[in-house]
Amino acid sequence: MTDSARASSVPACGETPASAESAEPVQPARSAHPIQATLIEALPEAVCLVDATTLRVLAANSAAAQLFGLPAEALRSRPVRELCATPQDLCFWDEVALGQSDRIVSDTLVTRADGEVLPVTRSACRVAAADGDAGVYIVALHDRSSETRAERESEALLAGLRATLESTADGILVTDLAGRVSAFNQRFAALWGLDAEVLVRRDDAALRSCMQRSVADPDAYVERLAAIEEAPLLQTSDVFKLRSGRVIERVTLPQCSRGQPIGRVYSFRDITARLEAHQRIEQLSHTDPLTGLPNRRLLSDRIEHALAMGRRDGTPFALLFLDLDRFKHINDSLGHQLGDRVLIDVAERIKSCLRQVDTVARLGGDEFVVVMHQADVAGAESTAQRVIDAMARPFAQGGLSFTVTCSIGIALFPNDGASVDELLRHADKAMYSVKESGRAGYRFHQPRKDVDLKSRMRIDHAMRQALAHGRFRLHYQPQVDCATGRVVGAEALLRWRDPDLGEMAPAEFIPVAEESGFIATIGDWVLAEAVRQAAQWRARGLDIVVAINVSALQFQKTDFVASVARALHVSGLPAKALELELTESILIQDAQEALARLQALAALGVRLSIDDFGTGYSSLGYLKRFPIGQLKIDRSFIDGLPGDESDAAIATAIISMGRALHLQIIAEGVETEAQRRFLRAAGCDLYQGFLFAPALDAASLFALASATQASRPLQLVG
Ligand code: C2E
Ligand code: MG
Ligand code: MG
């Protein structure tokens, strides 16, 4: 309501206006008629009666007294102008006095006795008297202060709501029950890409069709919207896609007034970025960021799934644990960036060897695992071979062309394990055994003889007791010169009879000692005992070489060379009378370190021999580089001699290669005369085996060897 006057000069109730003279305030004061006073007292609004002639208050009711903050008596006889707070009212009463106006209705202000200014709606209207008297003005005042306060409050509230509406990140649309738009914010328009003009026009039909056109699936959208609109009390949320690809979450609530739905509020939120981030997090938590392959976590899930299927219907599957050979060299020489590219290339190559149903995951570094569903031995083997072949193609990075090989260990369900961990561990171990025997190949998990951990722990404990209580002994297997039949050396082989476990074969307890690391301690004992024994034989006139087996762990100990030197020094045995039998895995593990150590041993004058030759990596490269003096052909190639063609070919090849490299060749496991003859003819220098003698105790060895040195045992020379 504005404050503008709606004053009218039309005479009230069709009466003639009061004359200018009758408005003169010189008339004596008079009182209102008692009836008039009673009448106005009954009215709820503030009412005053004003003498139209004197323009003084004749009477005021209690409501008026309350409004002005004065007793009704104090109002009586007061000039009405004294009660005016605005120029407009003063002006009205001036016009009344001049007979120009006798009615006014407008919003105005009054000042209370305490100085407070109140907003009121005031109407004044003349009631003429029948006797020609100018009559009275009835002035009614309606206190608007509480309304004004409420208006201001609701304006402030509205402004606050609008600001809230605009400041929210969501698009907001408010409609009535018929779906007509009653409010929206700018974000709503922006989110939907709505035409500003449509919104300004408030063209609901155009707005609806514009929204329909924006969604990716308009039919579903329309259907859903109809369902929402049909249920005025429905509170719901859903997600849909816009044609632009953005994903929108819609939350809708009924808008209620006094408990009744009067419309509906929709809030629209663009959740595209949130979804993308969520998907990315999901993806990252399951994939390897470099290659995009599943990571260890997802791999576990896949194996679990395969296990569940396997347990349910017996479907077998295979795990291939793959590790690149010497990847550190690639990283060191090409740098990590190109190393990463090689890994990506490797990932692609592995994938190209698999079926759709199989999974390849990267565990980290250069380790990959393949899960092959419904795969048996043959399936796993052919895939492993395919992967090895795929790797054989040269890699090219940073302008260099090079070869990357890999070692693959295979574990099969159900034979090799019943859990993710067990299967992975077995595949990993099988992979390691490929590495140890020269890399670039695949191998299946071989169940150990001493299967369970408990018995391994028992053996480990018993071994430590055995060493402490002097239960280990050394037996010596003679090494015989093929040409002369003389014993020229003896291989020290560990023997252990345990009071509880009985006679223990090295094949049973040495792997346990290697696993626990105790082998290094045992090795020290063997070294000391063997050189002590050899020195004693020597003192008694038997000049033979004693060979000891050195395990990788023992060889890798930093003080290994020093301990050999010390043992020789303590015993007084010349270094040339000691031979160390090393396996090929020792030379491969850290070639640089191994070379330095071998050179130090060679410098001491100790002989170096490669045991079980032919079963490992068999690289001609290291034979040339390392100061090796002897190759020992593995028993497995001697077995089939002389009949087996491939054994014969391998044995012959090793012998001629060794000769070309000026290495001494010894054959182990010679059991028959035919084998010995074949070897001798092929040019083998020495042999050992049951044909001549098994490993003997020190005294027997001494006797047998001394005998061969004294006389030539002709029967053995063919
Ligand atoms: P190895 O070094 O290859 O030793 C030769 C193995 O072949 C010995 O088995 C020996 O008794 C056996 N052998 C010798 N001649 C014949 C034969 O004509 N036919 C057959 N079938 N076997 C023959 P052993 O003593 O059971 O030792 C097995 C393995 O245990 C050794 O293989 C060696 O790798 C390891 N080993 C033995 N003693 C020690 C040791 O003191 N330290 C280390 N680190 N390993 C040892
Ligand atoms: Mg040996
Ligand atoms: Mg051997």
Side-chain angles (χ1 to χ4, degrees), residues 556-697:
Q556 280 156 5
K557 287 191 77 178
T558 41
D559 64 348
F560 178 66
V561 179
S563 68
V564 172
R566 199 167 43 246
L568 289 171
H569 178 74
V570 169
S571 64
L573 188 74
K576 66 177 170 48
L578 175 65
E579 186 157 62
L580 303 180
E581 289 193 8
L582 313 167
T583 57
E584 286 169 284
S585 62
I586 289 181
L587 309 179
I588 286 157
Q589 267 161 20
D590 189 342
Q592 217 45 42
E593 180 72 28
L595 179 61
R597 209 154 281 180
L598 291 174
Q599 279 166 342
L601 289 168
L604 281 181
V606 171
R607 294 161 182 256
L608 300 169
S609 171
I610 301 197
D611 203 353
D612 307 334
F613 188 78
T615 55
Y617 192 47
S618 313
S619 156
L620 288 177
Y622 71 69
L623 290 184
K624 252 181 79 182
R625 268 170 63 213
F626 295 150
I628 306 290
Q630 188 189 67
L631 296 185
K632 188 185 260 194
I633 307 173
D634 189 65
R635 204 166 70 214
S636 60
F637 304 115
I638 307 301
D639 254 3
L641 295 183
D644 186 296
E645 276 181 33
S646 67
D647 278 359
I650 291 169
T652 313
I654 294 174
I655 293 166
S656 45
M657 181 183 73
R659 290 200 150 259
L661 293 168
H662 306 292
L663 301 174
Q664 190 175 53
I665 309 293
I666 178 167
E668 67 177 351
V670 177
E671 293 180 348
T672 67
E673 183 52 31
Q675 288 168 344
R676 190 193 63 81
R677 247 193 232 123
F678 177 94
L679 289 162
R680 192 186 170 200
C684 184
D685 301 299
L686 309 176
Y687 78 94
Q688 68 182 79
F690 295 163
L691 173 65
F692 186 82
L696 307 167
D697 60 60

Side-chain angles (χ1 to χ4, degrees), residues 453-523:
L453 185 67
K454 225 165 112 189
S455 76
R456 287 212 292 277
M457 283 170 65
R458 248 178 88 201
I459 292 173
D460 189 64
H461 177 70
M463 249 179 342
R464 288 166 200 269
Q465 297 295 309
L467 190 68
H469 294 99
R471 290 192 195 116
F472 281 123
R473 291 157 290 131
L474 284 182
H475 275 191
Y476 300 88
Q477 183 170 40
Q479 299 181 328
V480 189
D481 186 319
C482 284
T484 64
R486 282 171 196 253
V487 173
V488 292
E491 179 180 6
L493 293 163
L494 257 177
R495 295 294 175 257
W496 169 32
R497 167 176 279 282
D498 188 81
D500 299 324
L501 302 171
E503 188 69 39
M504 296 289 287
E508 269 178 288
F509 66 84
I510 287 196
V512 179
E514 275 172 344
E515 208 168 83
S516 70
F518 191 54
I519 189 70
T521 315
I522 297 179

Side-chain angles (χ1 to χ4, degrees), residues 265-486:
V265 180
Y266 297 91
S267 88
F268 302 93
R269 180 171 295 187
D270 185 343
I271 56 167
T272 319
R274 197 178 79 196
L275 275 187
E276 281 170 1
H278 184 73
Q279 276 164 1
R280 183 92 191 101
I281 290 166
E282 265 294 293
Q283 196 189 20
L284 281 179
S285 66
H286 283 106
T287 54
D288 161 45
L290 177 67
T291 58
L293 294 181
N295 62 9
R296 186 183 285 272
R297 210 175 121 191
L298 187 52
L299 173 74
S300 292
D301 291 352
R302 300 268 163 96
I303 303 175
E304 284 291 3
H305 178 72
L307 277 170
M309 270 176 56
R311 286 185 201 117
R312 199 180 56 225
D313 50 28
T315 316
F317 67 91
L319 288 192
L320 275 57
F321 200 115
L322 187 149
D323 189 286
L324 300 183
D325 299 329
R326 298 190 181 84
F327 185 67
K328 191 177 169 314
H329 293 192
I330 292 174
N331 254 347
D332 290 350
S333 49
L334 294 180
H336 281 87
Q337 247 178 348
L338 291 182
D340 281 356
R341 291 216 210 133
V342 172
L343 288 173
I344 294 168
D345 194 351
V346 165
E348 286 305 317
R349 290 188 192 201
I350 300 173
K351 269 201 279 188
S352 72
C353 301
L354 307 180
R355 303 164 302 173
Q356 206 71 39
V357 291
D358 300 333
T359 298
V360 53
R362 179 170 171 239
L363 293 193
D366 59 348
E367 288 180 345
F368 296 84
V369 171
V370 174
V371 187
M372 291 187 63
H373 294 279
Q374 294 190 322
D376 53 7
V377 174
E381 197 162 25
S382 74
T383 302
Q385 192 55 56
R386 267 205 307 281
V387 172
I388 286 171
D389 293 345
M391 293 293 170
R393 292 198 316 272
F395 284 71
Q397 286 298 341
L400 281 175
S401 191
F402 49 91
T403 307
V404 177
T405 60
C406 65
S407 302
I408 304 175
I410 306 169
L412 297 163
F413 175 84
N415 286 352
D416 299 335
S419 69
V420 176
D421 275 359
E422 197 179 3
L423 284 164
L424 275 176
R425 202 173 59 243
H426 285 158
D428 186 19
K429 274 198 163 176
M431 183 277 290
Y432 258 98
S433 76
V434 178
K435 294 256 179 204
E436 276 174 4
S437 58
R439 306 180 169 99
Y442 64 86
R443 206 170 261 193
F444 284 86
H445 166 65
Q446 299 284 334
R448 294 171 60 119
K449 280 197 197 110
D450 51 344
V451 267
D452 64 313
L453 185 67
K454 225 165 112 189
S455 76
R456 287 212 292 277
M457 283 170 65
R458 248 178 88 201
I459 292 173
D460 189 64
H461 177 70
M463 249 179 342
R464 288 166 200 269
Q465 297 295 309
L467 190 68
H469 294 99
R471 290 192 195 116
F472 281 123
R473 291 157 290 131
L474 284 182
H475 275 191
Y476 300 88
Q477 183 170 40
Q479 299 181 328
V480 189
D481 186 319
C482 284
T484 64
R486 282 171 196 253

